[in-house]
Each structure stands twice: as C-alpha cells, then as structure tokens.
C-alpha cells in the first residue's frame, strides 16, 4: 500500500514521470517488502507562483 | 475539524463530488463525533499522466 | 485508485474508524465509479497540540 | 526543513501569495529555529467545486 | 477555509507551535481575505529517521 | 525542490528507509533535473488501524 506523493515544479515530461514512477516502484519493492501493484505514485505539478523557498516565490527570483 | 482529502482521477462531475461530499460528511458526523460545519472535504483531480500503479502511469496502460 | 486521507483529532476508536472506512468506501463506489479494492483510506491522528483553529491550538482553548 | 502546504480557494493573486510566503517564512524562522533557505511553502489552489464545508460544495451555496 | 499543514522535525515546544499558529493565521487574515475562524493549521512532527535531504536520512548525518 | 511523501505501513527499519531515500533521490536527480540537496523525502508511518483497503482496516483482515 505505499503511497508516494511527489510535489514538483511543472515541466517534467510524461517520459520523465514514467521513468521516475518505474524506478521508485522498483526501489520500494526491493527495499520495502511491497508488491508493485500495491504501490501508487501521485505527481502534483506546481507553478513557480505556487512554490516559495527562503521566503520568496520561485517566480520572484 | 476533520479534514478529508480525496486524490482521484479527473472526470468525476460536480454532481458526483456533491454526493460524495454529502455522504462522507454524514458518515463522519454519525460515527466520528463531529459537527457537519466542522468538516472540510477537498478534492484533488489528477490526470492519467500524474498517477502510477504497479510502476506504470495510467496513461501508459 | 481514489486515496482518501482523513486528518482528525486523536481519540476515535478502531470501531469508529472501521465504520467510517466502510461507509466512505461505499459512497465512493456508488457515486464515483471505483471498485472497492482500489480505494485506500488513511487516518492521521493528531493531538490537541497539533491542531489550531482561529489562531489558537486546541490545547489552549 | 519545514514544509508548509496551504490549501486554499483559488483567486489569491501572486502579490498575496508573495506576502504570505514571506511572512510565514519569517514566523517560522523567528519561532521555530529554522533557516529561511530551509523553508519550503507550497500553495494548492482549489476551485469551488473541489471544496466542501458542512457537506456542501462551495459552488452549491 | 485555508488549511495549512506544516511538516517539521519534532522537538518544537507547544509554546513555539502556539506562536507559529497565531502568526500564520494573522498573515493569512491580513493578506488572504480569510476570517481567522476559517483557518485550520495542522502540525506533523517527524523524527530524524523520517526525513531525508540530499539522499540521506537526518539521522545518518 | 521536489518533495516526496511516502505513506507506508509502520515496520520498515531505518536501514530500509535509508536505502529507499537514497535511491529515490538518485532517480529524481537522474530523470527529473534536480540537485540532490534540493530533494526532501518524508516518511509517514501508519498502523494497521489507520489504513483501509476495500473498505476494511488492515487490522480487521
């Protein structure tokens, strides 16, 4: 049942997400005693107006 | 204060969400000692590129 | 694949959570075109020091 | 490393988010022993169809 | 209805959380057109085994 | 800034989490254009009373 949520800056392609989802699933299967079909991965794409580091929006920098 | 977040594949209609929100609120009121107005429900709609099961994006299947 | 996360004040019994999980699953099956086995529900129990409303921790009130 | 996620009704401007991110970062630095550059803030904008209070979507009210 | 979730390393005192909750509520009221009583803040305390930066758990460093 | 949150059944050891954090960071660096030190991973351990699949708590099964 592991559920993995990834908050990231928008712009990653479907190809990149596909590879990330595949490899994260593999590492949890290998190291975490889980079956692949029990693992869910969710991507939340955020804009530069919706992320701040050090008190500044990414779009301000 | 219960806060319920529902991550789901996009495509549910407003009518479906309305019914789901109504019934989840009722079950938490009935079983969880909460007042209806204290319950917040949030829907996060995700595309088939943003959900993976078994190491594959839904859009790959 | 709907994933439902419930943030709530600690103290609900296993029996209460069991009933809430059962009924939320039923309403999403009925209204949201999902199979029961695809629905995951997660409870996050929080203490009164870890929830604030109106600018005050519940433990302050 | 504090990570702050803010779920809110869409419609706040970039200027509002900028000010909120700045001030939340300051309060965590001042009160929480964290360095500004270690603090991440994420905004999740939701529509009135994706938020329910008291069993009703905001768009129903 | 803004809901603010703060993921942070355990060890902040109740007094620190109280002050953080108060000030975050004030900044959202001032800058985000929300009433104080509509704002919920949740703290999730995590151990050094449950946070990784740069590929290492905090407890490894 | 990718932030990865992993909800999983409690019981994974520190050694398992260490390996999972290391490998997830590597896959996001390799496939997602991020620097290792910008990647945060959070583990949320849940008990069998706090996870339901198919309408039943894991502790009921």
């Amino acid at each position: 049942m592991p559920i993995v949520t990834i908050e990231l800056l928008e712009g990653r392609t479907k190809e990149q997400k596909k590879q990330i989802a595949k490899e994260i699933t593999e590492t949890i299967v290998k190291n975490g005693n889980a079956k692949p079909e029990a693992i869910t991965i969710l991507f939340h794409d955020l804009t530069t107006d919706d992320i701040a580091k050090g008190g500044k929006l990414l779009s301000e920098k």
Side-chain angles (χ1 to χ4, degrees), chain A residues 3-5 8 12 15 25-26 39 49 55 58 60:
Chain A
I3 294 164
V4 180
T5 306
L8 78 181
R12 271 68 171 199
E15 207 51 43
T25 301
E26 287 167 357
I39 299 169
D49 280 357
L58 297 196
E60 285 182 75

Side-chain angles (χ1 to χ4, degrees), chain A residues 7-59:
Chain A
E7 307 270 347
L8 78 181
L9 182 60
E10 63 179 3
R12 271 68 171 199
T13 63
K14 178 178 163 182
E15 207 51 43
Q16 288 177 300
K17 289 178 180 174
K18 185 176 145 179
Q19 198 59 28
I20 290 171
K22 180 174 169 291
E23 296 185 15
I24 288 180
T25 301
E26 287 167 357
T27 190
I28 295 176
V29 167
K30 191 177 54 151
N31 300 296
N33 307 331
K35 286 183 289 191
E37 63 273 17
I39 299 169
T40 306
I41 297 176
L42 309 176
F43 293 94
H44 288 177
D45 285 7
L46 298 171
T47 70
T48 55
D49 280 357
D50 286 324
I51 303 169
K53 289 280 291 180
K56 284 196 186 311
L57 301 180
L58 297 196
S59 57

